[in-house]
Amino acid sequence: MNKFVTFLFGGAIGAVGALLLAPQSGEKTRDMVADQANNIANNAQDMGAQVAEKVQNVVKQATEKGADVVDEAKDAAAKGVEAAVDKNDELRAKIEAARERIAKQVRENANETADAIKDAAPEAADKAKDAAKDIADKAKDVAGKAKDKADEVVDDAEKATEKAADKAKEATK
């Protein structure tokens, strides 16, 4: 987690540097950065919605399976009550078996749900990492362009300074 926070902090510093050194106007750069941030936010929201949808589907399936198990347990209990008059001990054994099946099924459903969530989480994390890498790459590109533009400005300033110095020498002659 600390590496990720450090990465985001570095990305933010890079973005600020890119804004300060951007070869285009600040407004255009801010618009570009805002558009990219919106794209990333939308991608993150889409990933979150996908994960939420998968979790809802898993929970729905688990609920349906649980309802089926409960229905089976109710049927078994009803049959057990009818047989209770003649076979009290046998009924207790059946009820206990039904409880164990229900508990086992609930555990299995819970494990399946947990596994499904575990399976979906790395995919969402990978997508978030990819989005962060894309941002870092774009920020690096912007910083490179800003550096190139700054180098051009420095070169132009040096040429202008030399030209002014030459004119000053000629004027003093």
Side-chain angles (χ1 to χ4, degrees), residues 41-117:
N42 289 339
N43 288 343
Q45 287 176 344
D46 291 344
M47 285 186 277
Q50 290 173 359
V51 169
E53 184 178 328
K54 286 181 181 180
V55 169
Q56 287 176 347
N57 288 338
V58 169
V59 169
K60 182 179 176 183
Q61 289 173 356
T63 303
E64 290 173 356
K65 287 180 182 179
D68 291 342
V69 169
V70 169
D71 289 341
E72 289 176 14
K74 287 179 182 177
D75 291 343
K79 289 177 183 177
V81 169
E82 293 173 6
V85 175
D86 299 323
K87 301 178 182 181
N88 190 20
D89 290 337
E90 196 176 311
L91 173 62
R92 288 182 185 186
K94 287 181 180 181
I95 290 173
E96 186 59 34
R99 285 182 185 163
E100 289 175 7
R101 280 194 321 270
I102 292 169
K104 180 181 176 184
Q105 187 65 44
V106 168
R107 281 191 302 273
E108 289 174 0
N109 290 347
N111 289 336
E112 288 175 8
T113 301
D115 290 343
I117 290 170

